Amino acid sequence: MRVIVYIFFVLVSIFPVTGMGESQGASAEKIEKRIDGIINVLRDPDIELEEALSTLVSLRYYRSLNDKQVQELIEAFDYKGAEENGWNEDLVKSHEVKILLAELIWKKSRDQDYKYLNYVRSMLGSSLEAARAYAALSLGQMRSTQDICRLKEMVLEDSEMPATKAGLSLISMQTASSEMELKSALSVVCTRNYPRDLKVCRPLSEYIRALSEYKGKHNIPDPGLLPDGAESCE
């Protein structure tokens, strides 16, 4: 069941139609209020980290945020105006939330500031598995094709959770080179018999299969056979 849920969210992130929560009949005002409500989670003094993350991640699926909303995310990332904004300090200073905020700011702001992309990249070197996993997944959402080789290396060598998220990140990029490098990594991982490798191989192979079926049903073309400007990781 968990694999099915993950596949659904990966497919929605790759092929958003109207965006999760953005029903065709919803007015702009209702959508704006819904987004404001999600951002207000950062001010909740009692919310647990996992609950906050599961709520905040839905911001990925809204096509746009207004300038005020983006500014709020920036102030939360920088823990700016803490007293005025009423941020939950433990929440907004956690690695996982900061990574997600950096991703959202990068994607939703008018001007892309490499401060946020570089922050997420830096977290791939964290000693914490959860931080590496969140950073890997965000780089796919940010379409950071410069990190394809680094993500491939994580699929090959990192522990189970970061390796699986790195594979999902490569799927999310939807480029010929990211697909090629993921399949190359799995051709190695899926022939090794260590428990870690089996746990990485199975879900990623299932994601690739489900994505292929989805694209076939919806007549979505593959990215192509040739790499998209990225050099081979070999």
Side-chain angles (χ1 to χ4, degrees), residues 55-104:
T55 302
L56 291 166
V57 78
S58 64
L59 290 175
R60 281 176 175 160
Y61 310 112
Y62 287 90
R63 284 172 291 184
S64 62
L65 275 63
N66 63 37
D67 290 345
K68 177 179 176 293
Q69 290 162 341
V70 172
Q71 186 58 36
E72 281 189 285
L73 297 182
I74 291 171
E75 291 179 3
F77 180 88
D78 292 329
Y79 195 57
K80 187 176 180 180
E83 193 170 316
E84 176 187 348
N85 284 308
W87 304 127
N88 177 331
E89 181 176 2
D90 291 338
L91 193 63
V92 299
K93 287 188 175 181
S94 70
H95 294 302
E96 295 92 334
V97 169
K98 281 182 71 71
I99 289 166
L100 182 55
L101 289 175
E103 173 201 319
L104 291 168

Side-chain angles (χ1 to χ4, degrees), residues 67-211:
D67 290 345
K68 177 179 176 293
Q69 290 162 341
V70 172
Q71 186 58 36
E72 281 189 285
L73 297 182
I74 291 171
E75 291 179 3
F77 180 88
D78 292 329
Y79 195 57
K80 187 176 180 180
E83 193 170 316
E84 176 187 348
N85 284 308
W87 304 127
N88 177 331
E89 181 176 2
D90 291 338
L91 193 63
V92 299
K93 287 188 175 181
S94 70
H95 294 302
E96 295 92 334
V97 169
K98 281 182 71 71
I99 289 166
L100 182 55
L101 289 175
E103 173 201 319
L104 291 168
I105 294 164
W106 170 262
K107 293 194 304 183
K108 308 296 184 183
S109 61
R110 295 176 185 273
D111 300 310
Q112 290 183 322
D113 186 336
Y114 277 85
K115 161 186 172 179
Y116 302 105
L117 177 59
N118 290 336
Y119 171 77
V120 176
R121 282 176 172 161
S122 74
M123 295 309 293
L124 290 183
S126 172
S127 61
L128 302 173
E129 281 191 6
R132 296 198 305 277
Y134 269 87
L137 194 56
S138 281
L139 286 172
Q141 293 288 327
M142 297 163 93
R143 304 294 193 266
S144 182
T145 55
Q146 303 96 316
D147 294 295
I148 285 174
C149 294
R150 198 170 179 188
L151 292 167
K152 177 185 179 181
E153 186 65 25
M154 290 178 73
V155 175
L156 287 167
E157 303 297 342
D158 210 325
S159 49
E160 178 192 345
M161 180 169 65
T164 304
K165 298 298 187 187
L168 285 175
S169 179
L170 290 169
I171 292 172
S172 296
M173 284 185 195
Q174 276 296 283
T175 68
S177 49
S178 63
E179 183 177 306
M180 178 181 70
E181 298 300 348
L182 175 58
K183 288 180 177 177
S184 171
L186 289 180
S187 71
V188 175
V189 170
C190 294
T191 59
R192 300 192 299 213
N193 293 318
Y194 296 107
R196 172 269 184 201
D197 294 297
L198 294 174
K199 290 176 181 177
V200 172
C201 172
R202 287 170 182 162
L204 290 179
S205 297
E206 181 65 16
Y207 298 143
I208 291 172
R209 182 196 63 76
L211 181 59

